[in-house]
């Protein structure tokens, strides 16, 4: 075999070996999908472990949350792959120390993630709260098993009844690659009918221009017990753009959520991801008691 042929063969094999794969995106509740992940400053129970654990402190209830999401992933120049994810959250916010536990399972082709999380929160003054989340994450990525113990810290504050703000620091000890970041969120409510939300953040160990995250969403109250939401986000650090929309029906003890989210991933060797379009259809029930 000629030298040039050998070199060509080596280059082809190298490209095959370094080929990127589909990446499991972050788990989100149905409500989060409707806002494209926005909500750091929004007081929520079921979403606290995934957004801002401190907001648990503002509630006095117990809740059981169940979620199922169907996922259609379409890598560039490839067929659509169907997968799903499941989530369970149990919250107890009766008492001075609030908390919840959650379990999620995600799968996508040859990748899988199982996560157990526990969150705790307490008031830090009349209108402020502090919370912490611990996550034990088990992943199988292209046959390689990995385990991470990740923590997140959050604070939130109500300036008044209409305006709230929050700050979250995810994985400050840099345990999991591409997980570390600080995010600031704001929410403003107009007369109980319209809520505007915005989040912004970045990995503080990297340049802002390459790791920034921006999310924005709006919620509209329809009649007395229906809410509709729309959201959009751009995450430069993870080469990800998304839009979402959803509907919520609220009853005294039952909350029903439905959402659709569309995500576009750009190829990136460092993130081990290929260009891909993802459509998620999510449904959840939350029973309050």
């Amino acid at each position: 075999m000629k030298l040039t042929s050998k070199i060509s063969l080596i280059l082809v094999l190298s490209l095959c070996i370094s080929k990127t794969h589909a990446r499991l995106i972050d788990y989100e509740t149905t409500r989060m999908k409707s806002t494209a992940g926005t909500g750091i400053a929004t007081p929520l129970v079921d979403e606290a472990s995934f957004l801002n654990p401190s907001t648990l402190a503002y509630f006095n209830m117990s809740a059981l949350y169940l979620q199922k999401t169907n996922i259609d992933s379409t890598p560039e120049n490839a067929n659509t792959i169907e997968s799903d994810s499941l989530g369970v959250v149990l919250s107890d916010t009766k008492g001075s120390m609030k908390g919840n536990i959650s379990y999620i399972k995600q799968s996508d082709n040859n990748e899988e993630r199982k996560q157990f999380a526990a969150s705790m929160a307490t008031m830090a003054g009349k209108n402020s709260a502090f919370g912490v989340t611990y996550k034990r994450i088990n992943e199988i990525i292209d046959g390689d098993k990995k385990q991470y113990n990740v923590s997140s810290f959050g604070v939130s504050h109500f300036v008044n009844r209409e305006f709230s703000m929050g700050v979250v620091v995810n994985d400050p000890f840099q345990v999991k690659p591409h997980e570390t970041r600080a995010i600031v969120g704001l929410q403003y409510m107009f007369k109980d009918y319209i809520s505007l939300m915005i989040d912004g953040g970045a990995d503080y160990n990297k340049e802002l221009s390459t790791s920034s995250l921006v999310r924005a969403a709006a919620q509209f109250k329809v009649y007395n017990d229906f809410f509709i939401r729309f959201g959009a986000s751009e995450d430069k650090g993870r080469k990800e753009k998304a839009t979402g929309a959803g509907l919520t029906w609220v009853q005294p003890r039952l909350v029903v959520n439905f959402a659709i989210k569309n995500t576009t991933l750009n190829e990136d060797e460092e993130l081990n991801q290929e260009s891909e379009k993802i459509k998620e259809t999510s449904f959840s029930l939350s029973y309050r008691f």
Side-chain angles (χ1 to χ4, degrees):
M1 184 181 291
K2 295 182 179 180
L3 179 61
T4 55
S5 298
K6 290 182 178 180
I7 293 174
S8 299
L9 180 60
I10 292 172
L11 289 173
V12 170
L13 290 174
S14 299
L15 288 172
C16 292
I17 292 172
S18 62
K19 185 180 179 181
T20 55
H21 306 277
R23 173 175 66 84
L24 280 173
I25 58 178
D26 288 348
Y27 182 86
E28 294 176 334
T29 65
T30 304
R31 187 192 190 284
M32 290 173 63
K33 294 183 189 301
S34 69
T35 61
T38 316
I40 293 296
T42 306
L44 299 167
V45 174
D46 304 319
E47 288 74 17
S49 290
F50 313 103
L51 275 173
N52 186 344
S54 68
T55 61
L56 282 169
Y58 299 115
F59 295 89
N60 185 30
M61 67 169 73
S62 297
L64 174 63
Y65 176 86
L66 304 172
Q67 176 182 322
K68 173 69 182 297
T69 301
N70 294 320
I71 307 166
D72 292 331
S73 305
T74 308
E76 190 173 32
N77 301 320
N79 295 326
T80 298
I81 301 170
E82 296 182 355
S83 59
D84 59 21
S85 67
L86 300 171
V88 180
V89 182
L90 181 61
S91 304
D92 183 7
T93 60
K94 296 177 180 178
S96 59
M97 184 63 70
K98 325 285 187 171
N100 71 15
I101 56 174
S102 62
Y103 173 80
I104 67 165
K105 181 180 179 181
Q106 296 172 269
S107 61
D108 184 2
N109 199 13
N110 61 340
E111 301 186 358
E112 182 179 275
R113 176 187 295 138
K114 295 180 181 179
Q115 174 183 294
F116 170 81
S119 298
M120 297 184 68
T122 186
M123 296 298 296
K126 184 179 180 180
N127 300 314
S128 303
F130 170 80
V132 59
T133 295
Y134 165 80
K135 300 177 183 178
R136 187 179 184 89
I137 305 171
N138 292 285
E139 294 183 339
I140 301 176
I141 307 297
D142 199 31
D144 186 17
K145 296 182 179 180
K146 293 186 178 181
Q147 184 178 95
Y148 305 98
N149 296 306
V150 179
S151 58
S152 299
F153 301 88
V155 295
S156 54
H157 176 73
F158 273 84
V159 178
N160 51 46
R161 189 176 181 275
E162 293 80 22
F163 183 46
S164 60
M165 59 182 66
V167 179
V168 168
V169 179
N170 291 324
D171 192 19
F173 306 114
Q174 303 181 50
V175 175
K176 191 174 187 293
H178 316 295
E179 193 77 10
T180 302
R181 58 177 61 190
I183 307 173
V184 179
L186 302 173
Q187 175 177 276
Y188 189 82
M189 182 183 297
F190 294 92
K191 298 181 179 180
D192 293 331
Y193 287 97
I194 301 175
S195 296
L196 300 179
M197 297 154 273
I198 186 169
D199 296 341
D203 182 344
Y204 46 81
N205 298 302
K206 300 179 180 179
E207 293 291 333
L208 181 64
S209 60
T210 60
S211 67
S212 64
L213 163 68
V214 178
R215 302 186 292 226
Q219 173 182 277
F220 303 90
K221 186 176 182 179
V222 184
Y223 302 110
N224 292 323
D225 48 12
F226 281 94
F227 296 83
I228 57 174
R229 302 183 190 89
F230 306 94
S233 66
E234 181 179 11
D235 190 336
K236 291 184 178 180
R238 297 180 181 178
K239 307 298 187 292
E240 178 181 314
K241 292 183 179 181
T243 59
L247 174 69
T248 296
W249 179 50
V250 179
Q251 293 297 295
R253 291 188 177 275
L254 183 66
V255 178
V256 181
N257 286 290
F258 174 78
I260 296 176
K261 183 182 180 185
N262 293 290
T263 304
T264 300
L265 302 180
N266 293 324
E267 184 174 350
D268 188 275
E269 187 174 346
E270 182 182 353
L271 294 170
N272 191 35
Q273 76 182 27
E274 60 186 350
S275 296
E276 183 178 16
K277 294 185 181 297
I278 302 171
K279 181 178 180 179
E280 300 174 90
T281 304
S282 185
F283 177 80
S284 67
L285 298 172
S286 181
Y287 180 71
R288 313 298 174 86
F289 54 93

